[in-house]
Amino acid sequence: MKSIRMTLVAATALCGATAAYATDLEVTHWWTSGGEAAAVAEFAKAFDATGNKWVDGAIAGSGGTARPIMISRITGGDPMGATQFNHGRQAEELVEAGLMRDLSDIAEKNHWKDLVSPSSLLDSCTLDGKIYCVPVNIHSQQWLWLNNAVFTDNGMEVPTNWDEYAAAAPKLKEAGVVPLALGQQPWQTTLAFQVLLVALAGPEAYTQVFGGHDAEVAASPELAKVFQAAATAREMSQDSNIQNWNDATNMVITGKAAGQIMGDWAQGEFQVANQVAGKDYTCLPGLGVNEVIQTGGDAFYFPAVDDAEITEAQGILAEVMMSAETQVAFNLKKGSLPVRGDVDLNAANDCMRKGLDILAKGNIIQSPDQLMSADSLTQVNDLFVEFFNTPSMTAEDAQARFVSLIEDAE
């Protein structure tokens, strides 16, 4: 069955390009929660306005579930028109195999190098001087989301940092509230650990470990504090018996849980629930300790196909995704930050403004995908998952194994 379908309906494409035919373009992604669906609809609306047709290829689950399916289709000769990956090296082998389209001409025509900020986002799309993807947002995972009423209703101040939050856990448990909502999908536990590492050991230590593969830092007392905090987080989340990240977010929204360590995409769920940032919920970048923005996020790649109409539609979609109007509409719904440094975000809420302020100060770090090979990162992440799922594993034992993995990392 062909995954990319065309209808020969004449249409005029916007965004500075003219389409000879209206083309159905299948776009695969893993955005299926309420907030994510609202955001991706902005991409679809903007692309459909060019006279082409966005054919939605959402894959339920996380990126870890979706990526193998996407890769299998591309390598198996059944490519989609466009597909989501995260910033970094996830598509590197596909690019090296010649299976992804070179977008350098489109990027040059539309001055992406002048518009994308920080430049590391476009660097992550670049291999051997050629640009192969469109970065569409800046997603930082460095956030703690809190239900304000849970704390005030139980006679507590809303925490302003990780230590205050962890100290409140016993009283929250007595009140029948789960202190920390954490889904059981492996990537959620690895995210929580990475966030704790950046917040408590600091951005420099994080970069030395993941980017420099510095085993000495990995074995340091600063990292020991991180593993102890992870053990605390493991205990705080022990009654959080759910799977999906958005179900964990819903526990916070409904007051069943006090907080969640999750990326800024959680904000989309709060918005769908009509929650107001700064009033109904609090967002603490860097867990209120080290306020940084991770310059990871999402990007779209376009498989190379021998079809002129599909190729033209791919180029149009790439331009649409990078347009100022679409960047604003999409990221306001997604809870992420735009990759363009020249867009108007007067509609930004309290949490997005915090992120923009941090970004403006230059307090940024790269994502693990940008710093470490996929194989090495998988081994490290597997350790984090095992640690969270094995209460008998001590913080000291986990750190010792972590040091060994960092020594051998690529």
Side-chain angles (χ1 to χ4, degrees):
M1 183 179 72
K2 292 191 70 175
S3 62
I4 304 173
R5 304 178 301 280
M6 298 181 298
T7 57
L8 303 182
V9 180
T12 300
L14 303 178
C15 302
T18 300
Y21 302 100
T23 303
D24 285 7
L25 198 71
E26 183 190 15
V27 185
T28 54
H29 59 87
W30 55 82
W31 290 325
T32 56
S33 75
E36 291 173 328
V40 77
E42 296 294 337
F43 277 153
K45 181 171 66 175
F47 183 62
D48 289 354
T50 69
N52 295 286
K53 178 64 177 177
W54 174 290
V55 179
D56 199 70
I59 300 173
S62 64
T65 300
R67 276 190 297 273
I69 297 172
M70 296 165 174
I71 292 170
S72 178
R73 283 189 51 182
I74 295 168
T75 57
D78 182 28
M80 62 295 290
T83 188
Q84 173 192 10
F85 284 104
N86 295 121
H87 298 324
R89 300 170 64 178
Q90 292 175 352
E92 190 172 81
E93 293 183 0
L94 295 173
V95 171
E96 291 174 339
L99 297 174
M100 289 300 188
R101 178 181 172 183
D102 178 4
L103 302 174
S104 300
D105 56 339
I106 297 173
E108 183 175 355
K109 182 180 75 171
N110 292 280
H111 310 291
W112 288 2
K113 288 186 178 180
D114 297 328
L115 296 173
V116 175
S117 180
S119 59
S120 60
L121 298 174
L122 202 57
D123 291 342
S124 293
C125 288
T126 304
L127 187 66
D128 296 331
K130 296 180 180 179
I131 296 172
Y132 289 93
C133 68
V134 183
V136 297
N137 59 9
I138 302 170
H139 256 323
S140 178
Q141 59 189 37
Q142 316 296 324
W143 297 82
L144 174 61
W145 306 89
L146 302 172
N147 181 316
N148 291 351
V150 164
F151 293 94
T152 56
D153 289 351
N154 287 288
M156 292 181 282
E157 295 289 331
V158 178
T160 62
N161 57 51
W162 170 259
D163 287 341
E164 292 176 4
Y165 175 52
K171 190 171 182 179
L172 290 168
K173 284 187 176 182
E174 289 177 8
V177 177
V178 176
L180 176 64
L182 182 65
Q184 299 304 305
Q185 294 166 319
W187 68 268
Q188 295 184 59
T189 54
T190 63
L191 179 150
F193 190 91
Q194 291 164 7
V195 171
L196 285 165
L197 195 159
V198 175
L200 303 182
E204 183 177 351
Y206 161 81
T207 303
Q208 288 174 322
V209 170
F210 279 93
H213 311 150
D214 192 325
E216 185 176 341
V217 175
S220 68
E222 288 75 21
L223 265 291
K225 294 177 183 177
V226 173
F227 278 90
Q228 290 295 338
T232 298
R234 180 173 62 185
E235 183 178 351
M236 291 170 66
S237 64
Q238 64 184 3
D239 294 322
S240 180
N241 299 315
I242 37 85
Q243 286 290 322
N244 299 320
W245 71 267
N246 50 305
D247 292 331
T249 307
N250 188 61
M251 288 182 67
V252 180
I253 292 171
T254 58
K256 295 178 182 177
Q260 177 188 24
I261 298 174
M262 186 50 58
D264 50 14
W265 51 89
Q267 189 171 190
E269 304 304 302
F270 283 96
Q271 291 186 101
V272 169
N274 297 315
Q275 298 283 293
V276 178
K279 176 184 175 184
D280 299 310
Y281 65 97
T282 290
C283 51
L284 297 178
L287 307 185
V289 183
N290 272 300
E291 294 190 349
V292 296
I293 288 293
Q294 180 175 295
T295 56
D298 302 292
F300 278 82
Y301 287 77
F302 299 82
V305 295
D306 185 18
D307 188 308
E309 283 80 17
I310 292 297
T311 299
E312 182 177 3
Q314 289 175 331
I316 293 171
L317 178 57
E319 291 185 332
V320 164
M321 287 178 161
M322 187 60 77
S323 73
E325 296 80 7
T326 309
Q327 277 282 299
V328 171
F330 170 78
N331 284 292
L332 285 176
K333 294 283 181 66
K334 192 70 168 62
S336 48
L337 302 177
V339 300
R340 291 181 58 138
D342 64 341
V343 298
D344 181 6
L345 281 172
N346 287 328
N349 67 16
D350 179 68
C351 294
M352 184 178 283
R353 290 188 185 280
K354 287 182 180 180
L356 289 169
D357 288 343
I358 296 168
L359 192 63
K361 294 174 183 176
N363 295 341
I364 59 175
I365 57 173
Q366 291 181 290
S367 69
D369 291 323
Q370 294 170 295
L371 296 172
M372 186 177 283
S373 72
D375 287 343
S376 294
L377 188 58
T378 296
Q379 294 176 48
V380 170
N381 288 345
D382 286 346
L383 170 61
F384 296 159
V385 172
E386 183 181 355
F387 177 69
F388 271 92
N389 292 331
T390 311
S392 60
M393 183 185 293
T394 67
E396 293 78 11
D397 289 343
Q399 184 177 10
R401 289 177 55 183
F402 181 64
V403 171
S404 178
L405 291 174
I406 294 303
E407 285 178 333
D408 296 333
E410 299 176 351

